[in-house]
Amino acid sequence: LGAPWIEGKKLAARLNGLAIPGVAFKDTSFTPVSIPGMSENPKFKDQLCSGVRVLVTDRNQLRAYPAGIKVINAIQNLYPDSLQFRASHMDRLCGTSAVREAILRHADMDSLINSWQDSLKQFEETCSKYLMYD
C-alpha cells in the first residue's frame, strides 16, 4: 500500500514500531498501472508511489481488522494533510463511524479496539454453535 506522498521507510518504521502481532512491514515503491478486466483506472495511475509491503508473519496471531485500523491511524498521524477519507465509504467498511472519528481525533487505537472486546466475545460465543469448523 502506498501513495506518491508517503515515505515508505518512515511508514515501515512507524508500523513496525507498533509491534502488531502477526505482521511486519517492509518499505517498497511501485507504479500503479491499468490492468484490463481487473483495475482499469487505479488510483495514482502511472505515478511512482512509495509505501509498505505487508508481510504476514503468523496468520494465527494476525487480527486483520485491528491491524488495518492501526495502519490507517499511523498514515493519518504521519500525513494528516494528505490522507483523505470518503466518510460514507470508510464508515460502511468499518461498520461504524466510530473508527473514522477516533482516528481523526487522534484517539488511542488500543482503547478503541479494547472497547468492543466484550461484545466481540459475546458474538463469538453466540455464533460458535453454528460454525462447521474450529
Side-chain angles (χ1 to χ4, degrees), residues 57-112:
T57 58
D58 187 340
R59 71 182 188 140
N60 294 320
Q61 285 191 4
L62 177 61
R63 299 294 173 252
Y65 186 76
I69 290 169
K70 290 180 178 185
V71 168
I72 294 169
N73 187 58
I75 295 170
Q76 172 64 26
N77 286 334
L78 288 171
Y79 307 101
D81 296 330
S82 298
L83 183 63
Q84 297 176 359
F85 294 108
R86 285 184 290 169
S88 63
H89 184 66
M90 173 104 175
D91 296 352
R92 182 180 54 80
L93 290 174
C94 291
T96 178
S97 64
V99 173
R100 177 181 49 81
E101 292 165 357
I103 289 170
L104 291 174
R105 72 172 182 274
H106 306 288
D108 178 61
M109 291 300 107
D110 287 325
S111 294
L112 173 69

